[in-house]
Amino acid sequence: MRLAILGGSFNPVHIGHLFLADAVLTAFGYDRIILIPAFKSPFKQGASGGSPLDRLDMLAAAIPGDPRLGIDDCEIKREGVSYTIDTIADITRRYRPEGKPGLILGDDLAREFPKWKSADEIAEQADVIIARRLLSGDGVYPYPNRQLQNEVMEVSSALVRERIGEGKNWRCLVPLGTRTIIEDRRLYGLPATEGDCGEKPAGAGGGKAAITQALIVEMEEAARGKLNSARFHHSRNTALLAADLCRHFGLESKAGYLAGIIHDMGKPLGEEELLHLAKADGGEISKLERKKPGLLHGRAGAVMLKERYGIRSQEVLDAVKYHTTGNAAMGPLAKVLYIADKIEVSRERIDPALRNFSAHEGTEQGLDRLFGTVLNETVAWLRSREMDISEGTLRLLELIEKRGLRRGTSAYSLGGGYR
Ligand SMILES: [Fe+2]
Ligand SMILES: [Fe+2]
């Protein structure tokens, strides 16, 4: 296998790094490029921000599913200042590449190269590739080399860090996985956002109890893989609206988004599995649920999300559980999800005025009032179609009516199709 090495601080890795690696692969026919994050770079000491572990994690998150790129942590394990000659020797010994490994150097470093430790030896043991970098140097590289005629993206790690620090837009300069780590660990001085739960996940793998951006991205991928296109888009619209509703009613918006994106993951399950999973939540299976097991996709989905996907947030699981028929035990997040599921923007048959949720004051009572209206409209729609209504829904409606939280007349008709 023909290998090339691309070292750097990767603090953080950005699209310019990946664009360069891609250019080398295309131009010189290597099979793989090994990305090697420095523990500490001899020329860039004092760069603030990501720890070696953060930088390694951000690299791993940047290149999922790409067999053309590898990551080697030899310099991080070695600690201290690493010298290129030691890294080349280590990589050659362990990987046994076909021919000499390529060594990609930015032309900004060319002038300094003769001062590097064992510069002659490096030039002998690797095929040096000189690539154009953002800040090109004026030096001439005094050893045999190949010049890469690459286009330069005007991105650098320093620029990304700077933009984060200054509150400018930066998110599309790094791959999505990298962005989620920066957000979850609040690297480079990124301030907490309104939607954060206020809990900073500890380093690598914050677990699934905290609703991190990484968990949301992971579950969104899972939902996209499991649901058909129409249902996925309904789920994403539900997620966006649930997050907006949470923000308005003083709840954690990430919890709303997560609940929305996963709420219908029980939908594709077969009847037998729906019944089997729903039984595991300890509740009774009603006559109606037995007749129409599809109604169990909320209950079954919640069990599945806990057992198979490790979702720990009880309020998110409860929201998923109750979104289909509603339940008197619903908490604020469950009400938000119920509303979002019924009135999101792809629901054709509802009066768009229902989406004007900011007309309701951002309090628990405001949320209850909106919930009562949406529940009432849902029941009216089911009745108009002579569809069965679950006892749980009717009990809930009664409760809402007693508390005077529903609107008097039914002016809207709620569309079905995606319960
Ligand atoms: Fe549903
Ligand atoms: Fe839904």
Side-chain angles (χ1 to χ4, degrees):
M1 180 173 278
R2 298 189 63 232
L3 294 181
I5 296 168
L6 177 60
S9 300
F10 298 110
N11 192 21
V13 59
H14 54 74
I15 53 172
H17 289 126
L18 303 183
F19 192 60
L20 171 60
D22 204 21
V24 173
L25 284 164
T26 306
F28 299 129
Y30 286 101
D31 299 302
R32 186 166 296 156
I33 295 198
I34 310 292
L35 307 169
I36 304 182
F39 178 73
K40 218 178 201 181
S41 160
F43 295 103
K44 288 180 185 170
Q45 291 193 12
S48 66
S51 68
L53 186 61
D54 286 331
R55 291 185 285 115
L56 194 59
D57 288 349
M58 286 190 282
L59 262 179
I63 55 171
D66 192 342
R68 305 169 312 152
L69 301 173
I71 300 166
D72 199 286
D73 62 354
C74 59
E75 294 196 359
I76 286 177
K77 279 190 187 144
R78 220 181 289 148
E79 299 193 347
V81 173
S82 269
Y83 293 99
T84 304
I85 186 64
D86 300 332
T87 299
I88 292 171
D90 188 19
I91 294 293
T92 306
R93 179 180 61 80
R94 286 186 294 122
Y95 288 71
R96 306 252 157 190
E98 188 187 322
K100 292 182 194 175
L103 175 69
I104 305 165
L105 295 178
D107 56 2
D108 52 332
L109 299 177
R111 193 157 57 125
E112 293 291 314
F113 184 82
K115 294 185 202 158
W116 287 18
K117 186 185 167 199
S118 312
D120 293 354
E121 247 182 279
I122 294 174
E124 217 166 88
Q125 291 179 13
D127 286 328
V128 172
I129 298 161
I130 304 290
R132 291 180 186 143
R133 293 296 303 271
L134 187 55
L135 298 168
S136 286
D138 50 4
V140 176
Y141 181 75
Y143 294 92
N145 67 85
R146 280 187 290 181
Q147 300 273 334
L148 179 70
Q149 301 301 318
N150 57 310
E151 296 92 353
V152 180
M153 272 194 159
E154 293 200 14
V155 187
S156 68
S157 299
L159 179 82
V160 175
R161 295 195 304 268
E162 215 175 272
R163 294 187 73 90
I164 293 173
E166 291 172 359
K168 293 180 177 162
N169 62 311
W170 60 274
R171 287 175 168 82
C172 292
L173 300 177
V174 299
L176 175 61
T178 303
R179 166 185 160 178
T180 61
I181 290 177
I182 294 174
E183 289 177 333
D184 282 340
R185 301 184 193 174
R186 288 176 210 144
L187 301 180
Y188 314 117
L190 181 71
T193 57
E194 201 191 337
D196 282 333
C197 49
E199 172 188 349
K200 187 174 176 175
K208 288 187 181 177
I211 299 173
T212 60
Q213 199 54 32
L215 174 62
I216 286 174
V217 171
E218 180 190 331
M219 292 311 299
E220 183 157 337
E221 288 252 333
R224 200 153 46 83
K226 221 169 156 54
L227 303 174
N228 66 35
S229 177
R231 188 161 302 282
F232 175 74
H233 288 290
H234 155 66
S235 299
R236 193 152 198 288
N237 287 332
T238 303
L240 292 176
L241 181 54
D244 293 344
L245 288 165
C246 280
R247 227 171 276 124
H248 181 68
F249 291 110
L251 306 171
E252 188 194 337
S253 66
K254 278 184 177 165
Y257 191 97
L258 179 63
I261 208 74
I262 61 181
H263 80 283
D264 271 344
M265 280 179 73
K267 266 279 179 183
L269 298 170
E271 292 194 351
E272 216 169 285
E273 206 168 11
L274 282 169
L275 283 160
H276 173 75
L277 283 167
K279 274 180 197 160
D281 72 9
E284 291 287 307
I285 306 286
S286 72
K287 244 190 195 168
L288 182 61
E289 286 169 335
R290 234 171 252 291
K291 188 173 139 200
K292 291 185 170 176
L295 288 173
L296 291 167
H297 75 268
R299 284 177 63 183
V303 173
M304 177 183 76
L305 288 162
K306 185 177 180 181
E307 288 180 356
R308 297 185 194 163
Y309 292 90
I311 300 297
R312 300 261 179 280
S313 164
Q314 196 54 50
E315 56 165 359
V316 169
L317 292 172
D318 283 346
V320 172
K321 179 178 176 180
Y322 297 136
H323 87 267
T324 318
T325 55
N327 188 289
M330 288 165 98
L333 185 69
K335 289 173 188 167
V336 159
L337 178 61
Y338 185 92
I339 296 164
D341 180 35
K342 305 297 181 287
I343 71 169
E344 56 90 357
V345 286
S346 72
R347 300 288 201 185
E348 291 284 357
R349 290 178 228 160
I350 72 149
D351 181 341
L354 264 181
R355 298 188 186 115
N356 188 18
F357 58 84
S358 51
H360 295 264
E361 61 177 300
T363 59
E364 212 182 323
Q365 290 76 13
L367 173 60
D368 276 347
R369 241 170 249 126
L370 178 59
F371 175 65
T373 304
V374 173
L375 179 74
N376 190 40
E377 298 308 318
T378 306
V379 172
W381 181 81
L382 290 170
R383 281 186 176 137
S384 74
R385 309 255 312 221
E386 295 183 359
M387 287 169 81
D388 295 317
I389 299 170
S390 85
E391 278 185 35
T393 308
L394 290 173
R395 268 201 304 275
L396 184 59
L397 190 66
E398 218 173 280
L399 194 79
I400 294 277
E401 280 173 350
K402 260 190 210 155
R403 291 166 62 188
L405 290 172
R406 78 177 188 124
R407 273 199 196 167
T409 54
S410 173
Y412 315 111
S413 85
L414 286 166
Y418 291 132
R419 274 188 304 162

